[in-house]
Amino acid sequence: MANYWLMKSEPDVFSIDQLKKDKKSLWDGVRNYQARNFMMNDMKVGDLVLFYHSNAKPPGVAGLAKISKEAVPDPTQFQKNGEYFDPKASKENPRWFCVEVAYKNKFKELVPLDDLREKKGLEDMLVIKKGQRLSIQPVTKKQFDIVCKMGGL
DNA sequence: GCCAACGTTGGC
DNA sequence: GCCAACGTTGGC
């Protein structure tokens, strides 16, 4: 039974176009325990993902991705001079994990956050809730299907 | 650039 | 284990 997710990324840092170009990518740099736990415990290969552009004009869902590899230790936590270095993590005892995601497709047009807010059936989506900063969120199949349709799929 | 909401850290 | 201080996220 597949699960569905929404994953946020700032397009200036990593966009759907970049994923399309790279085909697949480690979802590294996540430094939030709740988000990590979703990747570590709940994400399975084949799960589908709404790729969300945050801090964008406008913010919204840009396309779809799919989980292509289950969680592995996030290599960026060991990179001493990197932005995501964590001095409390060790190879023997890694603190952060990340999954690999593969490009699936890009919506013809971005589905803006404002439209998600207004759409019937999406009232319970976490992403439209005020103050919801979690960068990886579970999504129901129903919500996923509605957003896909809004994206023209 | 502002700032509300939230998560994390560390002193006690 | 509380909670104030601080840092970050992310819409606006």
Side-chain angles (χ1 to χ4, degrees), chain A residues 10-11 21 34-35 42 48 54 66-67 73-74 77 79 86 88 103 110 112 117 121 123 140 142 149 152:
Chain A
E10 300 188 25
K21 223 168 92 191
Q34 224 182 323
D42 302 313
L48 294 173
S54 62
K66 131 180 113 183
I67 306 301
D74 180 341
Q77 69 193 303
Q79 291 163 7
D86 184 344
K88 291 183 180 158
Y103 174 79
L110 180 114
R117 284 212 173 90
E123 295 85 358
T140 66
K142 218 168 151 190
K149 227 177 223 167

Side-chain angles (χ1 to χ4, degrees), chain A residues 13-26:
Chain A
V13 179
F14 188 74
S15 68
I16 186 108
D17 292 320
Q18 189 63 44
L19 180 62
K20 183 175 185 180
K21 223 168 92 191
D22 298 348
K23 305 269 197 298
K24 44 179 70 172
S25 170
L26 280 181

